[in-house]
Each structure stands twice: as C-alpha cells, then as structure tokens.
Amino acid sequence: MNASDNSIRVTLPDGAVRVVTRGTTPASIAASIGPGLAKAALAARINGALADLDLPIEADATLSIVTRKDADALELIRHDCAHLLAMAVQELFPGTQVTIGPVIEDGFFYDFARNEPFTPDDLPRIEARMKEIVARDAATRREVWPRDKAIAHFKAMGESFKAEIIADLPESEAIKIYWHGDWHDLCRGPHLMSTGKIGTAFKLMKVAGAYWRGDSKNQQLQRIYGTAWRDEKELAAHLHRLEEAEKRDHRRLGKEMDLFHIQEEAVGQVFWHPKGHALYRTLENYIRRKIDARGYVEVKTPMLLDRTLWERSGHWAKYRANMFIAEVEDEKKTLAIKPMNCPGHVQIFNQGLKSYRDLPIRMAEFGACHRYEPSGALSGIMRVRGFTQDDAHIFCEPHRMVDEAIKASELIFETYRELGFDDVKVKLSTRPDERIGSDAIWDKAEADLAEACKRLSIPYDMNPGEGAFYGPKLEFTLFDAIGRGWQCGTVQVDFNLPDRFDAEYVAEDGSRKRPAMLHRAVLGSMERFIGVVIEHYAGKFPLWLAPVQAVVATIVSDADDYAGEVRRQLRLAGLRVEADTRNEKINYKIREHSLAKVPVMLVAGKREAEEGTVTIRRLGVEKQETLKLGDAIALLAKEATPPDLR
RNA sequence: GCCGGCUUAGCUCAGGGGUAGAGCAGCGGUUUUGUAAACCGUUGGUCGGGGGUUCAAUUCCCUCAGCCGGCACCA
C-alpha cells in the first residue's frame, strides 16, 4: 500500500481542498480549520448527506461542517431532543417501551407504550430530567449491530416495538445503535456528539394518544410532543407565535365578536348570530354574483330524500355510516338527510329531455348538508356536522370536460385572490384502490384534470390514491396569514352518478349520450370558510366583509338625533351601521368598538351635528378626519364595494 | 370512535368535604363628556347531567354529555 492510497481529497464549501488520511473524521478536519469551528460543530454534511462528526471519511468527498447557525441545525437538535425525551422518560418511568420519535414541524414527538397514562403534570418533571441529561453532557457513541443480535437484544429488554421495527427494516439497511451515555436506541442518525450540544431551548408541549403505525386497529400509544429551537430567543418567539395564533382562533373571536355559537343540543351545527350571518350573507351574495356572471343556474333541492334514491346513487352502500337517517312513523319509509347535493341535482337534470345545445348546464346550490362526523373530528365551525356547500355540478359533453375544469379552477383562484388569499396549492388526487369505472375511464379523467392545470399553468402535486371512489379530483388548499393550509375548493370528475341515474342528452347525431359530470365547490363549506376568513384576518375584516362596518358614536346627547340621521343615510347607501348613543364617554365608546374590531367609527359631537359633518376614525388609527356627511358616505360606500364590483 | 385534560355568574377566571368569590358585563342612579375603561349603588350561581361514598359533596368515586389537544376519520 503506498502513501497515495491512504490519502483522500476533501473539498470544503469555499472550494478549498484538503488532502487528509483516509478515515479522517469531520471533527478533526473542523479542528484543523479552527478551534471555534470545532466547538461550534454539530454535525457534518458529507457529499450532501448529514453525518456524524466522528464518521470516518473513506473516499474523496465534499464536506461542510454544520453549526448551530445552519438551517440543518434545527433538524439535528430536534432529532436529538426526541432521543433526550425517550431517555428521560425511561429513566423516570422504568418499564416504558420506546417506539418512534421523529422530527416534525417546529419540534418533535416520541411515542411510548406504557400502561399508566402520562399526565400533563409529568411534562415538567420529564423536561427537568431532559435538562439534567443535557447538563450531564453524555457522550454519543455509534455502533453497527448484526440484525439478529439487535432484535434479540431489544426483545430481551422487553422492547417489542423496537424489535418489530428492526425486523421490518430492509436487509440493505445497517442496524445502527446510538448510545447517549448508558442509554441506547436504534436510530439511523446522525446525532450530535454529546447531549450537552443540544442546548436547552426546548419545551414539552402536550400528551396525546396515537396509534401504533398510524392504524386505529393497533394498540394506542402515548405521544409526547415537544418543540425545540437553536436558542432561547427562538423558543420564546415560537411560544409567542402560538399565543398570537390563539388570539385569532375563530372560536374565541366568534364569541368575542358575537358571530355564532354552538350548543350541546345541536352538536356540530352552527347558530349564526346577526353579525355572523351578516358576514355569511355577504359571502354568499358575493359568490352568487360571481356564478351568475359565469352562466350558472341556481337551484334548491330537498333536504330529505327517500332511502331508495340513496340506494340508487350508491351512497347507501358507500356512505351510510355518515348519514343521518329519519324514520317516518305513519308511512313505512326511511328517509336520509342529504350529505351531498349531487343526487338532487341529477334529478333536476333528468327532468325533460336535454339537447347537446343545452350543455353545459352549470347547476349551483348553496346546499345545506349533514354528515355524521366522528365526535373527535368536530372542531368549532371548521369541522361540523351541518354545513352549507357552495356547490355546483356541471353537466357537459365529455369532450368539454377540460374546458369546464379550467373555468371552475379559474373561478376558484380568482375568488381566493379577491378574498385576500394569494397563496394557493393544488393537488391532483388519483384513483383509490376501491373505485368504480374502468382504468381507461380513469386514465382519461386524470389526464383531463392534469391537462386543465397545464393549460392554466398552475403547478400541482400528485396525491396518488386519494381520489374519490367515483372519480379523480383537484383539491385547492389556501394558506392563511399565519401560514396554515386549509383545503377548501375542489373540482371532481364523477363517473358514477350519471350512470346510476341514467342521465342523458341528445347529441348532434340524434343519439342519446351520457353527459360528463363535474362537481365543484369554491369555498367548500360556508362554515369552514368563514372560520378560515376569521382566523386569516384575526377578526379585522376588510370593510366589505365586516359584520358592522361603521358605528356612529355620539359625544353628547344633543347629537343623538343627528347620529340617527347619519345612520339612516349610511344604511340607505347600503352600509351596515349602528349608532351608539349610550350615556358613555367617547373614550369608552372608542375602546369598546375598537375591541369589537369595527373598521370605521364616525364620531358625532355637538360640532359635527351643527356643521353636518362626521369625524372618521379608523380601527387602530389615531389620526382623524372630518368630512361633510355626503362626502363621508360616498367615500365609505366606495370603500365597501365588494371586490367583484370594483 | 380512541387516549388525555377540562366543565364554577352573561364573559374571563379564583376557590375547595361544612353549603361559593373577583374583575368585566347587566340593572338603578349621578355625570353631558372630543378619540382605547367617569363615579356610586346593586341583581345574579341546583358549581355540566345522573348515581354513589359520607352526619355532610360544588369538592372524593363511578357514569353520561359537551368542549379542548392529539390520533384515527374527512366518501
């Protein structure tokens, strides 16, 4: 063996090349660059892949040293935190089995198997132990074990879940065991060189149940969630963001702003209060104008339909568990409350003979649907059992499907933009295992939806196997002001219903043909969308959406009559206005209506009453402006114009 | 549906085996006020429902419901 065989070339990020002995570790290269870097080093990136600092480099490679400042650091810290958590839990609660503990957005979790539940009180104890282990600065050691030895070892320890994981690893995978002091776990790594490197910018957040391997048929484990960051400042910032998110929670704002409520006797259904319903109507009318302008026809179909119809549609077989059923005593009938509007729309289509000249028929309905959702799925007005879809079904000649999918998608994008959502992602969900229709039909429908996206030049992600049993779909997810995604709009192809209900039209050649059917919703559910809008704007709605657009607040009781007149004229101009003539100081009124997030306050004191003016004060803005009443009305009416009418 | 937590006045919340409190809101007054809380007085609760233990339960136990956080689900 000559000397050159023992040398390798390591290329650093700045392009510099170091010739080192084969088997040199990133740690020693870092040390040779400088003691500061050696100290700051958390891990290495060898040929682009994250690796342990003590992993010998065996061939020419590119190398970068990962420090706390790098984006990768978070991933490493969080991964180590998961181990730290498992270690602390096993020290404090002997007999607890470890399973998996991955890195997730903002943090990590670890799933444990233990008979007694963890309580929220356990979290501070575990967290304290984690910090103790960090202070211990236990060294990390990596070992590679033969598979059989590893399985036998973990089985002997009573760690049956770990043994199962190892047994399921592909043969090609090396079984790596990481030691942190005298605690060890199976892990693919990499890890920081000691527990002291993790730092203490972490916090355990919550305990939850989670099924082994995500399957509800399996044993339920106990999951502990934590968040972890590079330093205390980042942690504090994250906790602050959570607090801010809580402030815009639609359930909280719904109560504070008197928009809606839900009560025990109508679980999963919304009582819309006057202000909430003002918002609801504004959105509904807006959507109605948009679809009217695009050649839709609006219909209304029955809430209760006989069981036989649901049998024919296929819902009784496929969707029965989610349907509310109504038995009628006098007649021997079973009715179901509609969970979807589509079967009803096909009934309307089927009345009378349709010609190809009549197509496309774009049949819309603000359709109230009810679905029996699992109790654990309910959440405020975001996930409910009674909701209204801004639904439509488009019956068209099969070759027009791409065009119609394009039109529907354009409507969705335009609507989101006008409502203040610019960040939208599209997914194409393709054939699920359980489905109807031939592969040829699916090929065509999936290709049509993809073609629609292509022609619109919108990027989309594939979502394989997630289509409906009756056809593929495009799903539109919008992202709100704090970056959370909400799936709202959808465009779906349906091969099922036209067939089952024998929908037909007379084609150009006089033959009877089956129309293609497209389901689409823009907002999805009114309830859910309003929830999203509330959280997106944190209750501070743009003027056109605000439930109360302006409050006329008096300073002295002499201005009461004038305030009434101002209110009357603003209402004539189409604005939602209240007058506050209570015997309170203007400070008090300003404060109260500011907290209520009323966008515009019109102050009317003695001066304004005499001069026929109002003083406008905008929400959160101290600067005021006094205008002639007529000018103020014109200004506000213009500002309050819905985006589609501007 | 599953795991855990929670449920006290209209709202936000404190309390705790001997029969319940605060702030705000409400109501009654006084005050006529100029841009984020004027002052005085005052009403208000089967402590989520049911059952049990106890001389005594809002408090402890069981059970049901709802809500919250996850998991599963979202045709």
Side-chain angles (χ1 to χ4, degrees):
Chain A
M1 208 185 273
N2 59 39
S4 65
D5 278 337
N6 245 344
S7 307
I8 54 169
R9 294 163 58 85
V10 173
T11 311
L12 299 172
D14 62 0
V17 175
R18 300 219 165 202
V19 178
V20 297
T21 313
R22 189 183 305 275
T24 300
T25 65
S28 59
I29 295 176
S32 75
I33 295 171
L37 183 63
K39 198 168 168 228
L42 293 183
R45 212 169 243 291
I46 302 174
N47 294 326
L50 282 173
D52 293 317
L53 278 176
D54 67 350
L55 186 75
I57 305 173
E58 300 292 355
D60 290 357
T62 61
L63 169 74
S64 60
I65 302 297
V66 178
T67 69
R68 241 182 161 68
K69 284 190 224 116
D70 291 299
D72 293 323
L74 270 180
E75 172 102 11
L76 293 162
I77 290 167
R78 287 169 183 168
H79 187 187
D80 272 45
C81 268
H83 275 220
L84 192 57
L85 167 60
M87 197 169 162
V89 163
Q90 289 202 315
E91 287 186 12
L92 288 168
F93 305 95
T96 301
Q97 284 194 65
V98 293
T99 67
I100 56 160
V103 171
I104 53 170
E105 198 181 352
D106 299 336
F108 60 93
F109 68 73
Y110 211 110
D111 285 349
F112 300 98
R114 174 172 178 248
N115 289 335
E116 296 76 39
F118 292 115
T119 68
D121 297 335
D122 291 332
L123 296 187
R125 275 183 66 204
I126 298 169
E127 205 176 294
R129 178 59 70 104
M130 288 168 72
K131 292 193 172 152
E132 205 183 303
I133 298 170
V134 169
R136 234 183 259 166
D137 199 17
T140 301
R141 198 169 80 247
R142 181 189 58 253
E143 293 174 352
V144 178
W145 287 10
R147 172 178 303 256
D148 293 346
K149 176 188 166 188
I151 294 173
H153 173 79
F154 282 104
K155 268 194 183 151
M157 285 175 74
E159 296 280 3
S160 55
F161 291 94
K162 272 294 167 200
E164 191 180 325
I165 292 170
I166 297 169
D168 285 353
L169 284 175
E171 289 295 337
S172 56
E173 192 97 3
I175 310 298
K176 284 186 267 180
I177 304 297
Y178 276 85
W179 291 83
H180 307 286
D182 52 9
W183 184 86
H184 66 293
D185 191 10
L186 165 82
C187 189
R188 77 167 64 86
H191 280 285
L192 311 188
M193 293 316 289
S194 72
T195 56
K197 294 278 187 191
I198 299 170
T200 53
F202 57 80
K203 185 174 165 59
L204 298 183
M205 303 301 283
K206 54 203 174 193
V207 266
Y211 299 104
W212 169 236
R213 300 202 151 156
D215 188 334
S216 60
K217 288 192 279 290
N218 290 342
Q219 181 184 338
Q220 193 161 36
L221 308 169
Q222 295 186 68
R223 176 172 297 178
I224 297 178
Y225 282 94
T227 186
W229 300 87
R230 291 183 183 85
D231 55 47
E232 306 292 339
K233 210 171 135 195
E234 277 189 3
L235 173 63
H238 177 248
L239 297 178
H240 181 70
R241 277 196 299 278
L242 291 182
E243 275 173 40
E244 290 303 306
E246 210 170 299
K247 281 188 200 150
R248 58 171 78 214
D249 187 303
H250 75 282
R251 291 166 296 204
R252 174 184 175 138
L253 288 172
K255 191 181 274 181
E256 282 176 9
M257 299 177 74
D258 194 17
L259 302 176
F260 60 82
H261 85 272
I262 296 178
Q263 67 187 46
E264 222 173 302
E265 291 86 348
V267 172
Q269 297 174 86
V270 184
F271 289 81
W272 288 105
H273 295 12
K275 285 176 192 164
H277 196 237
L279 180 53
Y280 188 114
R281 279 188 359 175
T282 303
L283 264 181
E284 182 176 310
N285 289 336
Y286 160 74
I287 292 292
R288 184 170 277 133
R289 281 193 306 272
K290 290 187 83 73
I291 62 176
D292 282 352
R294 285 164 180 75
Y296 284 73
V297 288
E298 188 178 331
V299 300
K300 204 78 174 172
T301 60
M303 203 72 144
L304 282 167
L305 290 159
D306 196 89
R307 167 181 176 159
T308 52
L309 182 132
W310 298 112
E311 283 170 351
R312 185 155 179 199
S313 71
H315 287 84
W316 200 264
K318 298 259 184 198
Y319 204 65
R320 169 80 176 76
N322 291 283
M323 288 161 72
F324 286 103
I325 307 301
E327 301 283 349
V328 188
E329 267 183 46
D330 290 351
E331 299 176 34
K332 287 203 186 71
K333 280 191 172 177
T334 303
L335 302 166
I337 303 174
K338 68 172 173 183
M340 301 179 203
N341 306 299
C342 19
H345 289 187
V346 183
Q347 306 314 304
I348 294 179
F349 179 87
N350 280 353
Q351 293 300 114
L353 197 55
K354 298 291 183 293
S355 152
Y356 73 96
R357 295 178 212 271
D358 299 323
L359 304 184
I361 293 176
R362 306 187 186 99
M363 196 182 290
E365 177 173 2
F366 291 93
C369 297
H370 292 78
R371 299 179 187 177
Y372 183 77
E373 300 285 356
S375 58
L378 302 176
S379 177
I381 63 173
M382 298 290 204
R383 187 83 183 267
V384 285
R385 287 179 175 164
F387 56 95
T388 302
Q389 291 179 312
D390 66 325
D391 204 2
H393 295 93
I394 298 161
F395 301 90
C396 64
E397 295 172 85
H399 69 272
R400 294 292 306 275
M401 213 145 77
V402 177
D403 284 343
E404 290 301 321
I406 288 174
K407 286 198 167 80
S409 303
E410 280 174 335
L411 173 60
I412 289 171
F413 274 106
E414 184 180 301
T415 302
Y416 292 175
R417 198 180 332 115
E418 288 179 348
L419 288 168
F421 300 99
D422 292 317
D423 191 4
V424 182
K425 281 206 166 61
V426 182
K427 275 188 302 194
L428 171 55
S429 295
T430 56
R431 66 197 80 185
D433 293 339
E434 204 186 324
R435 61 178 184 266
I436 57 148
S438 69
D439 284 354
I441 294 180
W442 278 90
D443 287 345
K444 172 78 167 68
E446 287 168 6
D448 279 357
L449 292 182
E451 173 68 15
C453 292
K454 198 179 145 206
R455 279 207 231 154
L456 284 163
S457 31
I458 47 174
Y460 61 92
D461 292 330
M462 294 304 290
N463 198 202
E466 293 299 316
F469 73 88
Y470 51 74
K473 57 187 178 186
L474 292 176
E475 290 175 323
F476 297 77
T477 300
L478 54 79
F479 290 83
D480 69 15
I482 56 174
R484 292 168 305 183
W486 303 94
Q487 203 243 292
C488 295
T490 168
V491 174
Q492 312 186 1
V493 182
D494 189 335
F495 320 129
N496 182 44
L497 285 182
D499 255 2
R500 282 181 172 261
F501 286 113
D502 274 329
E504 290 180 335
Y505 68 95
V506 180
E508 210 169 344
D509 62 3
S511 66
R512 305 264 172 136
K513 291 226 163 76
R514 195 70 83 213
M517 183 174 170
L518 223 49
H519 303 244
R520 55 98 287 196
V522 178
L523 306 183
S525 116
M526 298 296 292
E527 286 74 7
R528 179 179 168 77
F529 200 88
I530 291 173
V532 173
V533 168
I534 291 170
E535 301 206 349
H536 180 60
Y537 288 110
K540 292 177 185 167
F541 302 111
L543 191 60
W544 73 282
L545 281 175
V548 177
Q549 295 171 310
V551 167
V552 188
T554 52
I555 295 172
V556 291
S557 49
D558 286 347
D560 286 0
D561 288 347
Y562 179 64
E565 178 59 17
V566 172
R567 176 180 61 186
R568 191 185 71 84
Q569 290 196 31
L570 281 162
R571 284 182 175 171
L572 276 177
L575 289 150
R576 296 180 289 274
V577 183
E578 305 293 346
D580 184 353
T581 55
R582 291 174 304 170
N583 177 13
E584 295 289 353
K585 292 193 140 190
I586 192 64
N587 286 321
Y588 182 89
K589 295 182 182 181
I590 295 289
R591 175 179 157 80
E592 203 165 72
H593 298 120
S594 295
L595 290 173
K597 303 178 174 61
V598 175
V600 173
M601 274 164 275
L602 301 169
V603 176
K606 202 169 166 213
R607 210 158 58 224
E608 286 83 357
E610 280 166 1
E611 294 168 357
T613 59
V614 286
T615 298
I616 297 183
R617 185 198 206 274
R618 313 239 174 204
L619 178 57
V621 179
E622 275 183 60
K623 191 170 71 78
Q624 303 146 43
E625 191 183 9
T626 302
L627 291 179
K628 286 301 234 183
L629 178 54
D631 294 343
I633 292 172
L635 176 70
L636 292 176
K638 183 157 180 280
E639 284 181 23
T641 307
D644 61 309
L645 299 177
R646 276 173 205 159

